[in-house]
Amino acid sequence: MAFARGYAATDASKPLEPFTFERRAPNADDIVIDIKYSGICHSDIHQVRNEWGNAKYPMVPGHEIVGIVSAVGSGVTKFKVGDKAGVGCFVNSCTTCATRDVDLEHYMPGLVQTYNDVEADGTTPTYGGYSDSIVVKEGYALSIPDNLDFAATAPLLCAGITLYSPLMHWKAGPGKKVAIVGMGGLGHMGVKIGAALGAEITVLSQSLSKKEDGLKLGATHYYATSDAETFTSLAGSFDLILCTVSAEIDWNAYLGLLKADGALVLLGVPENPVPVHAFALIPGRRSLAGSMIGSIKETQEMLDFCGKHDIVSDIELIRMDQVNEAYERVLKSDVRYRFVIDAATI
Ligand code: NAP
Ligand code: ZN
């Protein structure tokens, strides 16, 4: 056991505060990572505030983690001390079936989340990246391309893979028209990765205030969803719509923007059930689907893709003690486009 320092939530309604805790002792297949940077995902806010009803306190959030390997177990082959390494949204998965090979491990019941969960031993809580170190099985750690800005790489571990996976699954590429709803942490990664895949990207944002950024990041078109004309002029336009919004929106209107056989994929997590009329789906054989992060294999593929195309997140680097203020700013969509905590300030 070793002590780690971080920030934790102790209750749904209280600000995060300094917290010291024990990390489990590393096993032969573990690496220890000296955390350097940790992104702030909107899911951290949902979980800290118990909006998904499963919060376990004290909770150390953070699942967009990059750092330097400081120790390796005797059986580790993929990493050595001094390597850059990353940890995303999960630190273990089903080991009793063959799904690891087929890229669906993150949809299996044995998934262990990086925080707000319990290690596979059933006793030790998992604590996330708002901290100075983490112990993780090497098979759940990612290699980070050396050419990318280190701090700006952290958000790839959740925001990056969450957009890359559906873009790949629904075959975004040349000739495909893709809309990204919400130009936030997830959305801006969707613009960058989708454009690098060769798809024609349209951003559907509440207003035009971030239009210049969106076009710079790779979008071809940018529309305001507050303008009713957007929904008439774009009717039947898209092969794929990736929705990163967690607020209540008019789902039937968005389904109307799909071409025949198009898919609207939910990535954001609205609080209430999604009301959809059958006639928003039936004419045009449209689909409403969801997608969650990606497997370790696909996450590594995404990082290598981003390394090749020089893609990182646009970030605002903050001190650890600015985290509560950062949460309020995320809620107001007042960040371009991801907060990243500098772990040296813990
Ligand atoms: P974020 O940075 O806050 O971005 C969300 C965007 O939604 C905002 O930038 C804003 O974009 C738009 N938005 C906010 N309020 C809105 C409203 N009232 N009406 C319409 N649009 C609104 O959050 P994020 O980190 O990207 O995460 C987004 C969601 O995805 C969260 O629910 C999170 O839990 C979820 N998530 C899911 C997965 C997964 O695997 N499926 C992974 C990570 C996160 P504009 O200003 O451009 O309108
Ligand atoms: Zn996340």
Side-chain angles (χ1 to χ4, degrees), residues 72-149:
V72 297
S74 56
V76 167
T77 57
K78 211 172 107 184
F79 293 95
K80 57 183 190 320
V81 170
D83 283 351
K84 288 179 177 173
V87 179
C89 297
F90 60 101
V91 290
N92 214 331
S93 62
C94 182
T95 49
T96 55
C97 56
T99 51
R100 280 216 80 183
D101 296 337
V102 294
D103 232 8
L104 292 175
E105 61 182 331
H106 51 302
Y107 295 123
M108 298 297 141
L111 191 78
V112 176
Q113 295 182 70
T114 302
Y115 69 87
N116 197 36
D117 209 341
V118 179
E119 296 271 10
D121 69 6
T123 59
T124 322
T126 57
Y127 293 120
Y130 299 5
S131 61
D132 58 5
S133 67
I134 190 166
V135 180
V136 62
K137 279 175 181 286
E138 67 160 338
Y140 293 86
L142 288 308
S143 297
I144 305 295
D146 245 332
N147 58 311
L148 299 179
D149 179 89

Side-chain angles (χ1 to χ4, degrees), residues 294-315:
S295 67
I296 293 294
K297 183 165 145 259
E298 195 174 35
T299 305
Q300 190 61 61
E301 187 185 305
M302 176 276 306
L303 285 164
D304 297 343
F305 178 87
C306 288
K308 194 166 151 213
H309 294 268
D310 233 337
I311 295 174
V312 287
S313 177
D314 285 19
I315 65 161

Side-chain angles (χ1 to χ4, degrees), residues 2-343:
F3 281 100
R5 287 178 310 123
Y7 261 52
T10 55
D11 181 276
S13 57
K14 291 203 184 118
L16 275 71
E17 57 187 58
F19 178 63
T20 301
F21 59 100
E22 280 181 348
R23 286 288 186 194
R24 64 183 172 80
N27 297 315
D29 60 349
D30 284 328
I31 62 172
V32 183
I33 302 174
D34 180 8
I35 296 175
K36 296 297 181 195
Y37 301 104
S38 190
I40 295 180
C41 177
H42 202 126
S43 300
D44 299 343
I45 305 175
H46 291 305
Q47 300 219 64
V48 158
R49 302 195 174 177
N50 198 20
E51 288 166 3
W52 296 341
N54 65 347
K56 296 176 186 68
Y57 303 105
M59 184 194 302
V60 177
H63 57 208
E64 295 184 336
I65 303 166
V66 294
I68 303 290
V69 177
S70 61
V72 297
S74 56
V76 167
T77 57
K78 211 172 107 184
F79 293 95
K80 57 183 190 320
V81 170
D83 283 351
K84 288 179 177 173
V87 179
C89 297
F90 60 101
V91 290
N92 214 331
S93 62
C94 182
T95 49
T96 55
C97 56
T99 51
R100 280 216 80 183
D101 296 337
V102 294
D103 232 8
L104 292 175
E105 61 182 331
H106 51 302
Y107 295 123
M108 298 297 141
L111 191 78
V112 176
Q113 295 182 70
T114 302
Y115 69 87
N116 197 36
D117 209 341
V118 179
E119 296 271 10
D121 69 6
T123 59
T124 322
T126 57
Y127 293 120
Y130 299 5
S131 61
D132 58 5
S133 67
I134 190 166
V135 180
V136 62
K137 279 175 181 286
E138 67 160 338
Y140 293 86
L142 288 308
S143 297
I144 305 295
D146 245 332
N147 58 311
L148 299 179
D149 179 89
F150 204 22
T153 310
L156 300 181
L157 276 303
C158 174
I161 184 60
T162 300
L163 273 292
Y164 180 85
S165 186
L167 285 165
M168 296 304 287
H169 183 76
W170 276 275
K171 302 189 171 29
K176 290 287 177 77
K177 295 192 177 194
V178 176
I180 306 287
V181 188
M183 175 81 174
L186 264 56
H188 91 292
M189 290 311 313
V191 173
K192 292 187 183 204
I193 295 172
L197 287 168
E200 184 183 304
I201 304 294
T202 298
V203 176
L204 302 176
S205 179
Q206 293 170 95
S207 74
L208 296 179
S209 64
K210 296 176 266 189
K211 178 173 178 180
E212 205 180 309
D213 285 0
L215 299 181
K216 236 186 267 164
L217 300 187
T220 306
H221 313 283
Y222 201 106
Y223 289 88
T225 52
S226 53
D227 181 354
E229 172 62 19
T230 293
F231 291 89
T232 42
S233 64
L234 295 179
S237 292
F238 300 108
D239 298 287
L240 175 65
I241 302 177
L242 300 180
C243 181
T244 73
V245 174
S246 57
E248 312 301 325
I249 56 176
D250 183 349
W251 303 101
N252 298 297
Y254 283 86
L255 284 164
L257 303 182
L258 289 172
K259 289 182 185 175
D261 271 341
L264 168 60
V265 181
L266 304 192
L267 304 176
V269 187
E271 195 180 340
N272 295 312
V274 172
V276 169
H277 199 286
F279 281 137
L281 296 169
I282 291 171
R285 198 164 55 187
R286 295 166 174 142
S287 312
L288 177 65
S291 180
M292 188 180 82
I293 49 170
S295 67
I296 293 294
K297 183 165 145 259
E298 195 174 35
T299 305
Q300 190 61 61
E301 187 185 305
M302 176 276 306
L303 285 164
D304 297 343
F305 178 87
C306 288
K308 194 166 151 213
H309 294 268
D310 233 337
I311 295 174
V312 287
S313 177
D314 285 19
I315 65 161
E316 189 175 325
L317 195 62
I318 58 165
R319 297 189 313 273
M320 184 73 253
D321 64 7
Q322 292 175 295
V323 64
N324 294 303
E325 185 195 328
Y327 275 20
E328 295 309 318
R329 286 185 51 200
V330 170
L331 292 171
K332 286 188 262 173
S333 302
D334 176 26
V335 49
R336 297 193 181 194
Y337 283 91
R338 201 59 145 184
F339 286 115
V340 171
I341 298 162
D342 182 350

